[in-house]
Amino acid sequence: MLRDKCGVVGIYSGLGTDVSPSIFYALYALQHRGQESCGIATYDGEFHIERGMGLVPEFFDLNKLSDLKGNFGIGHVRYSTTGESKIECAQPLVTTHSKGTLAIAHNGNIVNAMELKRSLEKSGQAFISTTDTEVIAHLIVRRLAKDEDIVTAITEVMKKLIGSYSLTILTEDMLVAVRDPLGIRPLCLGETDGTTIVASESVVFDVLNIKFIRDVKPGEILVISEKGMKSYRPYKLNRKAHCMFEYVYFARPDSIINGIPVYSVREKIGMLHGENDDVEADFVSPIPDSAIPFALGYSRVRDIPYMESLIRNRYVGRTFILPDQQARELAVRLKLNPLLSNVKGKKIVLFDDSIVRGTTSSRIINLLKDAGAEEVHMRVGCPPIKRLCKLGIDMPTDRELIASDKSVEAIRREIGADSLKYLSIDNLMEAIGMGENELCLGCLTGKYPVEISKYEQVPLPAFIEKA
Ligand code: SF4
C-alpha cells in the first residue's frame, strides 16, 4: 500500500469569525491524506498554534479549538515517511524572524532540500526539524528580513526549489497560497460570503458548504487579506505535471482535481479495462473502497454483474501504521473478510487501484481462494509502478516495487492470480483526459518532470522528510 501524502488548508473570514472550527472540519475531510499528525495555526494579533500526533478528531477538542482565535488560519495533516513519529515534524511550522512571524503548511517534496539546507547551515541557520518545509520557511524568512514583500520573497524562493509544493502560509496580515510551477500536488480555491478557502481537495468545500471557484494555477501565488484576493503568477511553464496518482488512488473520489472529477476518471478506467477484456467471469468485484468505481465501470461495459466479494471492517486503521510484517498480515485479515456465499465456486474479476510490493494482492487472492473462489482475475487501475516517487508520495525503494524488474506474467504467478491485466499508459491518459505534457508519470516511466538525477543519490528519508 502506498502512503498518502499531506493535506493543507488555509481559511480567511472577511466576516471576522474564528476560522479554527472550519479548519478542523476541513482537516477532517482531508484525513485520508495523512494520519500521523495534524495542526492548526491562527492569528488574531498574535499567533496561536496547536500541533500534535494522531488523527484530527483524536487530537483536537473544544478546548484546543476555542484557544485558536483569529479570522485567518492554516491547517495540515501529515504522515511521517521514516516510520518515526515526531512532534517536531508536525505542521504548521512557525518561524519567528526579525520582521515578524510566519506559519507554513506544505504538501509535496523538495528534491534539492538537502543541498539548500546545507547552504543555510553554512550561513549559521539552525534547524529544529528534519522537514523540507523548514528549509522553505527559512528561505522565505531570510528574504522578508531584507525588507522584500511577501510575493517577491516567495518568487525568489520558488526559483531555488526543485520539486513539488502546495503551500499555505500565514503572516500577521495575510493568508498566502502557493502551488509549484508544474502543479504536481493539487490545491484549489473556494469562496462564499466573504470567506475564502484554499485546500488540497475540493471535498473540503462540499463539507463546509463553500462554492468551489477554481484550482490554484501551477506557479500561482494567491495573497488573501482584508483588501481582497490578489493573484500573481511569476511562473508560467509550457507544461504541467499533475500527479496521475491523485486520480487513481490518493484523492477522495468525490473531489475534483484540476477541474476533473476523480470518480469519473476511476469509472472510465474500469470501462477502458472492460473494452479490452474478454475473460469469462461470474461477476466483477472491487477491493473496497478505492476500487469500487473501477469495478462499476467494468461491469457496465462488459455487462457482467457487480458483486461484493470482500467486506471491509471500517473500524480498522490503515495497515501501514502497523509496525511489522506479522501485524500487517493480521491486519489484512481483520480488515477484509471474504463473503463466502458470493465467492464459493465463482470466477471473479477483482479490481485494485495499484500493485506496489504485491504482498497485499497475494494475501487477498489467497483469502478469496481459501474461501472457495474458482478463479481470480486481477485487474489493476493503473499501469505497473516501476520507479519510486521523488515528488511527495511515500513508496518503497525501486527494488521493493514488484514491477521494477518483473514481467506481468511473473507478477501474476507471484500474486497467485489466474490472469492479470494492468491499465496501459495510453488508457490512463485517456481516462484522465490529459496528455504526457500535463501529467507526471514518473513512477511509471522513470521520466520525472523535474531534473532529479543530480539529487538521486541523496538518502532522503534519513535526513529530510517529505511533507
Ligand atoms: S512519480 Fe508517480 S506518484 Fe510521484 S508525483 Fe509523479 S505520478 Fe505522482
Side-chain angles (χ1 to χ4, degrees):
M1 185 65 74
L2 302 181
R3 297 193 231 193
D4 291 352
K5 312 144 295 173
C6 300
V8 296
V9 62
I11 305 187
Y12 164 67
S13 162
L15 307 173
T17 43
D18 286 342
V19 292
S20 58
S22 297
I23 296 178
F24 167 81
Y25 288 114
L27 294 180
Y28 212 159
L30 294 175
Q31 187 77 83
H32 61 288
R33 297 185 75 88
Q35 299 90 37
E36 287 237 341
S37 68
C38 54
I40 296 177
T42 57
Y43 183 79
D44 73 337
E46 59 179 311
F47 278 85
H48 305 279
I49 172 115
E50 288 284 356
R51 303 178 302 165
M53 309 311 294
L55 300 174
V56 176
E58 286 168 359
F59 175 70
F60 284 103
D61 56 25
L62 272 180
N63 282 342
K64 285 194 180 108
L65 289 177
S66 58
D67 287 344
L68 288 161
K69 300 256 180 257
N71 64 326
F72 286 90
I74 60 173
H76 190 260
V77 284
R78 176 180 190 273
Y79 73 88
S80 103
T81 54
T82 57
E84 245 183 349
S85 302
K86 289 190 224 149
I87 183 69
E88 307 88 68
C89 298
Q91 296 187 27
L93 206 131
V94 181
T95 316
T96 300
H97 55 100
S98 59
K99 299 282 166 40
T101 299
L102 175 140
I104 185 167
H106 170 211
N107 170 209
N109 182 46
I110 305 303
V111 179
N112 61 336
M114 186 183 275
E115 189 183 79
L116 295 169
K117 182 174 180 176
R118 283 198 183 118
S119 133
L120 284 166
E121 280 173 335
K122 263 191 207 149
S123 61
Q125 183 65 58
F127 282 79
I128 52 163
S129 79
T130 53
T131 63
D132 51 0
T133 312
E134 193 179 352
V135 175
I136 302 175
H138 287 312
L139 288 171
I140 295 174
V141 156
R142 285 188 164 220
R143 305 221 61 115
L144 292 177
K146 288 184 193 160
D147 271 337
E148 280 180 5
D149 64 85
I150 188 93
V151 175
T152 310
I154 292 172
T155 304
E156 289 306 311
V157 171
M158 286 169 87
K159 288 180 188 165
K160 294 186 177 203
L161 301 178
I162 299 174
S164 60
Y165 48 96
S166 282
L167 305 169
T168 51
I169 299 170
L170 182 68
T171 72
E172 278 93 346
D173 54 3
M174 61 183 76
L175 165 68
V176 185
V178 186
R179 196 173 180 197
D180 69 67
L182 289 160
I184 298 171
R185 297 278 141 249
L187 194 63
C188 45
L189 173 70
E191 204 172 25
T192 294
D193 297 336
T195 298
T196 306
I197 303 190
V198 282
S200 292
E201 291 185 34
S202 67
V203 66
V204 166
F205 308 142
D206 299 338
V207 169
L208 297 177
N209 201 17
I210 293 280
K211 192 171 166 224
F212 171 70
I213 303 292
R214 62 174 175 86
D215 291 280
V216 177
K217 293 174 190 142
E220 186 175 17
I221 302 171
L222 286 178
V223 177
I224 300 150
S225 70
E226 56 189 25
K227 293 182 200 146
M229 186 176 74
K230 278 198 166 171
S231 161
Y232 303 84
R233 198 144 177 226
Y235 282 99
K236 215 169 173 181
L237 304 183
N238 60 6
R239 73 150 298 174
K240 295 169 194 152
H242 303 312
C243 171
M244 64 86 196
F245 241 104
E246 295 284 351
Y247 297 101
V248 168
Y249 170 64
F250 288 122
R252 271 179 53 156
D254 44 347
S255 279
I256 299 170
I257 304 277
N258 303 307
I260 298 166
V262 172
Y263 191 93
S264 315
V265 172
R266 293 182 190 167
E267 220 179 10
K268 175 90 177 159
I269 286 173
M271 290 162 77
L272 290 168
H273 256 297
E275 283 167 17
N276 298 309
D277 206 359
D278 58 3
V279 72
E280 230 180 82
D282 294 301
F283 65 89
V284 54
S285 191
I287 295 180
D289 295 324
S290 56
I292 291 171
F294 302 131
L296 284 168
Y298 182 96
S299 161
R300 193 174 324 139
V301 166
R302 290 226 42 216
D303 202 18
I304 61 172
Y306 167 97
M307 282 172 71
E308 292 184 80
S309 58
L310 296 154
I311 298 300
R312 175 179 287 271
N313 178 342
R314 294 182 198 284
Y315 301 95
V316 177
R318 295 193 165 216
T319 49
F320 68 79
I321 60 174
L322 297 166
D324 60 43
Q325 194 67 6
Q326 207 185 353
R328 279 196 288 266
E329 278 182 24
L330 178 71
V332 171
R333 291 200 298 276
L334 192 63
K335 192 155 106 176
L336 292 172
N337 196 32
L339 199 54
L340 294 178
S341 53
N342 281 4
V343 163
K344 205 164 187 306
K346 295 290 168 36
K347 296 175 182 165
I348 306 167
V349 171
L350 182 70
F351 263 92
D352 201 358
D353 46 70
S354 52
I355 299 181
V356 185
R357 292 182 177 88
T359 43
T360 306
S361 311
S362 144
R363 284 186 204 121
I364 291 171
I365 291 168
N366 265 339
L367 276 181
L368 290 172
K369 293 239 166 151
D370 286 351
E374 194 183 317
E375 290 175 12
V376 179
H377 301 274
M378 191 78 170
R379 299 295 177 263
V380 190
C382 78
I385 301 167
K386 298 186 168 184
R387 300 290 309 275
L388 90 151
C389 173
K390 315 268 168 82
L391 296 166
I393 307 295
D394 188 37
M395 286 190 186
T397 58
D398 285 354
R399 234 169 352 124
E400 290 172 283
L401 291 168
I402 193 167
S404 66
D405 61 352
K406 285 193 174 66
S407 66
V408 174
E409 174 53 21
I411 297 169
R412 182 199 68 74
R413 279 199 303 271
E414 192 159 325
I415 64 174
D418 292 281
S419 74
L420 169 65
K421 279 192 179 176
Y422 284 93
L423 190 74
S424 70
I425 292 181
D426 282 348
N427 278 350
L428 175 70
M429 292 192 290
E430 186 183 340
I432 299 172
M434 291 187 199
E436 267 173 339
N437 236 19
E438 294 166 288
L439 288 171
C440 176
L441 303 168
C443 52
L444 309 178
T445 61
K447 288 186 210 146
Y448 299 91
V450 293
E451 179 49 62
I452 56 173
S453 52
K454 195 172 147 195
Y455 306 99
E456 261 182 321
Q457 301 313 315
V458 176
L460 200 65
F463 187 43
I464 298 284
E465 296 190 25
K466 298 174 217 169

